[in-house]
Amino acid sequence: MRTLFEKVWDEHVVVPATDDTPSVLYIDLHIIHEVTTPQAFSMLRDRGLSVRRPDLTLATMDHSTPTTPVRTFKDLAVVGESAANQIRQMQQNCRDFGIDLLGFDSDRRGIVHVIGPELGATQPGKTIVCGDSHSSTHGAFGALAFGIGTTEVGHVLATQCLLQRRPKTLAVNVSGRLPAGVGAKDIILAVIGRIGVDGGTGHVIEYRGDAISALDMESRMTVCNMSIEGGARAGMIAPDDTTFEYLAGRPRVPRGETWDAALARWQELVTDEGATFDNEVSIDASSLEPMVTFGTNPGMVIGISEPVPDGGDDPSFRKALDYMQVMPGKPMTENDVDVVFIGSCTNGRLSDIEEAASILEGRQVADGVRMLVVPGSQQVKREAEARGLDRVITDAGAEWREAGCSMCIGMNGDIALPGQLSVSTSNRNFEGRQGIGARTVLASPATAAASAVRGKVADPRQLMNR
Amino acid sequence: MEAIKTFRSRTVVLPTRDIDTDQIIAARFLTTTTREGLGKSLFFDLRFDADGNERPEFPLNGPEARGADILVAGNNFGCGSSREHAPWALLDYGFRAVISTEIADIFRNNSLKNGLVPIVVPEDVHTWLVDNPGVEVEIDVEALSLTLPDGTTTTYPMDGFARHCLIEGLDQLGFLQQHDAAIEQFEKERPWTP
Ligand code: SF4
């Protein structure tokens, strides 16, 4: 009897661990981007090594790339000489080492964790790594996916393997029916609020229960994406018909007989009845409301109707409230909003943009609020435009951008200014994450869009059901 | 990587919990393509105010912090992004070890690969270190022990292989490459191709 995680892990052990040495683990898909790879390629050059499996390496550019609308990418104004240099090096490295790059001329370019699934490169049972901690996103397909550092990026480029000790397992059971206006982002924020930002350290999470099975793939990706915010290496969901339907026909998914064989293999990827986890937590989805963060880490989170808690004289808690300029005892809805960001690998997919647009439709972004909507990939952008969502967004007074990480990490010039309050669908509300002194409130696309309309942090349920 | 066996140094204390890698090194410094020179960006927005002046209240700016190579930090240090720039910046600034009650997974992994020693100690030892900044302690990586000024010693956990690599100054890629034949065999024999 094995858990989903154990099945995927066992199948990828090339050399088993001993007391003295970790396992050698085979990696099926390595996704790379411009920010965490240059030093790894330099290491390969210094040692005269090549990339072992360029065919298992998927490369794109997303982090430091501009998202300002342009006619052609030739006119792109990259912010700063060092970012421009990083982008040029990525192009050069991919050329020199024989890796296909989904670069500026590709209509498939986008955020690493958005394009993997979109292309069907992300599949159940694969091991997937990327020099980015939100690699856990791909676990929504029943893959074992986790973030690695640049030295490890070099290891995978050179050997297609990593040295790993087996993590522990944590089951997060989410049961019950989600109330209207409450979605995947609210589930994962509630989970992190429950286990804390270090609750998952050393563990791989499996999200289970009827509330998880009921989610579509994009929502499952939102949930798995933020596993790292609970400290976990990875988050997984057992693949099912929802997963297989999503994958069927995607460019990198097998066809014909190979599809049938893959499907048979994928259907085995469930935790066996009676298999045990090292730890378990349960959450009742029917009791959730829209969630918002009030502090400077994702575990500092409350329901939209709840007051900001008083942390007593805990200095770390006080420091966070001071930074955020929020008052204990008051709900977050009393805070004025300056910026709203819809995007990122957490909530930058088509359904997220639809959710935001449904709130914006026929309404205006409040005076003094700047709202940015940044699709997670060029494909998401095209699909949204085909549905006319870009018009809804621009008619409401928001900006519609090219694909990229944008204000999730603030590396490309898209930032909030010191002291500004930003309601954001991204995943980190750390101090300075969205710009020096910027104050970030994490929320769902519906909550973010409602906040843009109201000009204050807002409960989206009041703008639904018209 | 240089071999690390034992060293002594004074500590500097950052007692805040959950210091994430964005605070250790902000994203705007990540457009670099080398590992060098990141020390000047370490904790930048905590060290300096908007005009670029040192914030006197920040522990790293205090006179007692000069020459202190060991950082004592609050629980769950290094959480957040996988950027290896975080240990690179700490090392470049001059730190050789980080002591906390918990150190986030990816940061710990990244630290070990670069020779920054991650040390997890029990609550009482940590509390004592936080309450007594600037003391000189000894770190022994071979024995996995930390010795406080009064001579009391506490041990800390570390994966045996990581310890071996630190004290021998080995990098882990060499070990992986020794398994080349096994990797090739694995690729040949697996029942499906990715
Ligand atoms: S959107 Fe944000 S979290 Fe996601 S890959 Fe980009 S920077 Fe990382």
Side-chain angles (χ1 to χ4, degrees), chain A residues 70-107:
Chain A
V70 281
R71 224 170 255 124
T72 86
F73 273 106
K74 292 212 167 43
D75 342 313
L76 209 63
V78 176
V79 176
E81 181 45 38
S82 61
N85 178 46
Q86 200 170 55
I87 286 169
R88 279 196 299 273
Q89 278 211 21
M90 183 69 179
Q91 292 164 330
Q92 187 67 42
N93 286 334
C94 288
R95 256 197 308 276
D96 290 356
F97 288 90
I99 297 166
D100 280 338
L101 172 66
L102 302 178
F104 290 128
D105 49 357
S106 168
D107 59 3

Side-chain angles (χ1 to χ4, degrees), chain A residues 8 24 28 30 42 73 84 119 134 146 183 186 207 221 241 301 329 393 410 412 415:
Chain A
V8 181
V24 175
D28 295 325
H30 185 201
S42 303
F73 273 106
L119 292 166
H134 290 97
F146 52 91
D186 304 306
Y207 301 94
M221 287 186 244
D241 289 343
V301 64
I393 286 158
N412 71 336
I415 52 168

Side-chain angles (χ1 to χ4, degrees), chain A residues 69 357 360 363-365 371 373 385 388-401:
Chain A
L360 292 179
R363 296 196 173 104
Q364 286 295 310
V365 172
M371 181 175 185
V373 184
E385 288 174 353
L389 301 179
D390 57 322
R391 290 296 302 275
V392 174
I393 286 158
T394 51
D395 286 353
E399 298 173 42
W400 175 243
R401 294 295 191 89

Side-chain angles (χ1 to χ4, degrees), chain A residues 11-15 20-22 24 26 28 35 38-39 42-43 47 49 52-53 56 64 82-83 85-86 89 125-126 131-133 147-152 155 158-159 161-163 165 197-198 201-203 228 231 233 265 297 314 316-317 319 409 411 428 430-431 433 436, chain B residues 15-18 20-23 26-35 38 45-46 75-76 79-85 88 102-106 108-110 113-114 159-162 164 171-177 179-180 182-187 190-194:
Chain A
E11 211 198 349
H12 290 85
V13 174
V14 177
V15 182
D20 297 332
T21 53
V24 175
Y26 196 81
D28 295 325
V35 176
Q39 297 85 352
S42 303
M43 182 278 293
R47 301 190 190 193
L49 298 172
R52 182 182 179 93
R53 296 293 301 265
L56 302 185
S64 55
S82 61
N85 178 46
Q86 200 170 55
Q89 278 211 21
K126 279 191 179 181
D132 188 287
S133 58
I148 56 177
T150 299
T151 299
E152 290 179 319
H155 293 179
T159 67
C161 288
L162 277 177
L163 290 167
R165 288 281 179 191
V197 285
D198 58 352
T201 304
H203 291 76
I228 180 76
R233 281 311 291 281
R265 199 159 43 75
N297 71 53
D314 172 359
S316 301
F317 195 94
K319 175 172 173 274
I409 189 166
M411 280 188 76
R428 287 186 172 142
F430 297 153
E431 282 184 29
R433 171 83 176 183
I436 304 168
Chain B
T16 321
R17 269 190 278 127
D18 305 318
D20 53 76
T21 53
D22 276 82
Q23 288 183 65
R28 63 184 189 279
F29 302 116
L30 305 189
T31 53
T32 176
T33 52
T34 66
R35 297 171 187 240
L38 292 171
D45 299 327
L46 298 172
N75 189 55
N76 195 28
C79 60
S81 120
S82 61
R83 61 190 68 166
E84 200 160 317
H85 309 71
W88 294 339
E102 182 158 35
I103 295 179
D105 280 341
I106 308 181
R108 195 192 53 239
N109 257 325
N110 285 340
K113 295 198 168 57
N114 289 278
D159 177 66
F161 181 71
H164 174 75
D171 89 62
Q172 304 186 1
L173 179 57
F175 178 80
L176 265 175
Q177 286 173 311
H179 291 291
D180 196 50
I183 298 169
E184 209 157 293
Q185 192 71 11
F186 178 89
E187 285 176 330
R190 70 183 311 191
W192 57 281
T193 34

Side-chain angles (χ1 to χ4, degrees), chain A residues 151-279:
Chain A
T151 299
E152 290 179 319
V153 168
H155 293 179
V156 181
L157 289 173
T159 67
Q160 203 58 31
C161 288
L162 277 177
L163 290 167
Q164 291 286 304
R165 288 281 179 191
R166 183 153 131 170
K168 291 194 274 199
T169 53
L170 167 65
V172 172
N173 303 301
V174 191
S175 57
R177 244 180 99 106
L178 274 180
V182 183
K185 184 63 162 289
D186 304 306
I187 294 181
I188 188 61
L189 285 171
V191 168
I192 298 160
R194 167 76 82 78
I195 67 174
V197 285
D198 58 352
T201 304
H203 291 76
V204 167
I205 297 177
E206 183 181 334
Y207 301 94
R208 300 156 59 78
D210 54 344
I212 298 295
S213 322
L215 297 174
D216 62 25
M217 286 316 293
E218 297 197 347
S219 297
R220 292 182 191 184
M221 287 186 244
T222 302
V223 170
C224 287
N225 174 276
M226 289 187 71
S227 303
I228 180 76
E229 269 61 60
R233 281 311 291 281
M236 303 175 82
I237 294 174
D240 58 12
D241 289 343
T242 307
T243 322
F244 310 141
E245 273 161 34
Y246 175 98
L247 286 172
R250 297 206 172 244
R252 301 209 181 176
V253 163
R255 278 156 218 282
E257 273 171 40
T258 354
W259 165 264
D260 297 338
L263 196 60
R265 199 159 43 75
W266 295 346
Q267 281 161 338
E268 298 295 311
L269 294 170
V270 287
T271 292
D272 296 327
E273 192 85 34
T276 53
F277 293 86
D278 294 302
N279 282 298

Side-chain angles (χ1 to χ4, degrees), chain B residues 24 83-92 107 110-111 114 116:
Chain B
I24 300 172
R83 61 190 68 166
E84 200 160 317
H85 309 71
W88 294 339
L90 285 159
L91 282 163
D92 190 57
F107 176 83
N110 285 340
S111 297
N114 289 278
L116 179 70

